[in-house]
Amino acid sequence: MQYGLVFAKGDSADFADMAVAAEEAGWDAVFGWEALWGVDPWISLTAAAVRTSRIRLGTMLTPLARRKPWDLASTTSTLDRLSGGRVILGVGLGALHPGWLAFEADQGRKVRAELVDEGLDVMFGLWGGQPFSYDGKHYQVKPTDFELPDPPVQQPRITTWCVGLEGSRKSMSRAARCDGLIPNFTGVAGPEPQPLHRWVGVAREIRDLRDELGYTGTYDVVYEGTADLNDPAGERERALAMADAGITWWLDSDWGSTPDDPIAYQLERINAGPPR
């Protein structure tokens, strides 16, 4: 089991400070999130990269349906080289919210799913190097030799986690082709905690599907929740149960709290340390 933190608040300088504190406290990764209008997580992750040496750096998550895949491939591979191969890219269709719809109309879930599928194709192809071409419904790419960047440190590609919906073969197949699953549970709105048996089931579902589809290699299943800082022993017990269920990453986040000083609050969570 590895342990990470998702920072819901703070500017890039705050993020870098918190990443340094997290590395010193023994955490394995820190994550930002993408807003259409707000703090750019890739700037925050870059600031963190130059001030840390070990901790991994990622997004939870990037709505790939609204990003040009060549732009995202450039950003992630640049940061991967800068950080020495520490990037984790978390992707999904994206949750619609007022901060999104204020700028862009919803294209519909079907179109967003198509864009994510093609976006993964293009990113994986570009990370693999030239010559690369692609002829999809939404994206077309021609081979190029113009000012080619060096490849990312991580090979054959940057670690990519993808949202998959429990019980949906199409959604879970999308996640199965990536390097990790960020589970969504049917009939659940938002980050509502789920009982252990559902985590056991979704971990089994994705691994059985990967076997069926012929995928090999290590694979992550990602848990995200809000740790109870008043019950460290209980959190350690829950983390062990998650590990036994096949969960490989335990991420602490708190999207709902509104503390007077959100940076101090997040530092408190950081300094509590991972529930090892």
Side-chain angles (χ1 to χ4, degrees):
M1 179 75 82
Q2 297 187 77
Y3 299 88
L5 294 148
V6 185
F7 297 146
K9 304 290 184 181
D11 213 330
S12 292
D14 301 314
F15 191 102
D17 289 343
M18 292 188 292
V20 170
E23 186 168 78
E24 292 173 350
W27 294 89
D28 299 303
V30 292
F31 297 85
W33 61 281
E34 292 213 29
L36 274 72
W37 170 241
V39 176
D40 188 322
W42 298 104
I43 301 297
S44 300
L45 291 166
T46 300
V50 299
R51 293 186 55 195
T52 58
S53 60
R54 174 192 59 80
I55 203 163
R56 301 199 69 180
L57 310 157
T59 53
M60 279 292 286
L61 48 72
T62 294
L64 182 53
R66 61 158 307 271
R67 293 294 305 271
K68 297 299 185 187
W70 39 86
D71 290 342
L72 189 56
S74 295
T75 298
T76 50
S77 58
T78 301
L79 181 57
D80 200 60
R81 292 190 298 272
L82 175 67
S83 66
R86 291 187 278 147
V87 172
I88 298 173
L89 173 63
V91 300
L93 276 64
L96 297 174
H97 53 75
W100 181 334
L101 299 176
F103 299 96
E104 297 178 3
D106 177 22
Q107 296 171 288
R109 186 176 183 84
K110 180 177 184 294
V111 172
R112 284 186 285 129
E114 292 171 349
L115 288 166
V116 171
D117 288 333
E118 292 194 14
L120 290 171
D121 290 341
V122 173
M123 283 197 308
F124 291 174
L126 290 174
W127 288 336
Q130 292 289 341
F132 171 72
S133 62
Y134 187 77
D135 186 18
K137 178 179 177 181
H138 300 280
Y139 300 128
Q140 294 77 44
V141 178
K142 297 177 181 178
T144 179
D145 60 1
F146 182 78
E147 296 293 333
L148 298 180
D150 290 333
V153 173
Q154 295 183 77
Q155 291 295 324
R157 65 179 177 231
I158 290 169
T159 299
T160 304
W161 295 344
C162 185
V163 173
L165 178 63
E166 170 197 44
S168 169
R169 183 178 177 88
K170 187 171 184 179
S171 178
M172 293 290 273
S173 295
R174 180 180 302 117
R177 67 181 290 216
C178 297
D179 306 297
L181 167 69
I182 304 169
N184 266 3
F185 293 96
T186 53
V188 176
E192 181 182 330
Q194 295 304 300
L196 181 61
H197 72 86
R198 293 195 80 171
W199 288 97
V200 171
V202 79
R204 183 186 305 116
E205 180 183 355
I206 192 66
R207 291 199 164 96
D208 287 349
L209 183 57
R210 278 178 54 84
D211 288 344
E212 177 189 336
L213 296 175
Y215 296 119
T216 59
T218 58
Y219 191 79
D220 291 317
V221 180
V222 182
Y223 166 80
E224 182 183 1
T226 303
D228 182 353
L229 300 188
N230 296 314
D231 185 18
E235 289 301 328
R236 286 192 293 272
E237 196 173 305
R238 279 184 281 276
L240 286 171
M242 287 288 180
D244 289 342
I247 310 303
T248 62
W249 277 86
W250 186 102
L251 305 187
D252 179 50
S253 65
D254 188 348
W255 298 101
S257 295
T258 55
D260 292 336
D261 187 340
I263 304 306
Y265 173 71
Q266 289 175 125
L267 283 169
E268 181 184 8
R269 306 193 73 80
I270 290 167
N271 293 328
R276 290 191 167 93

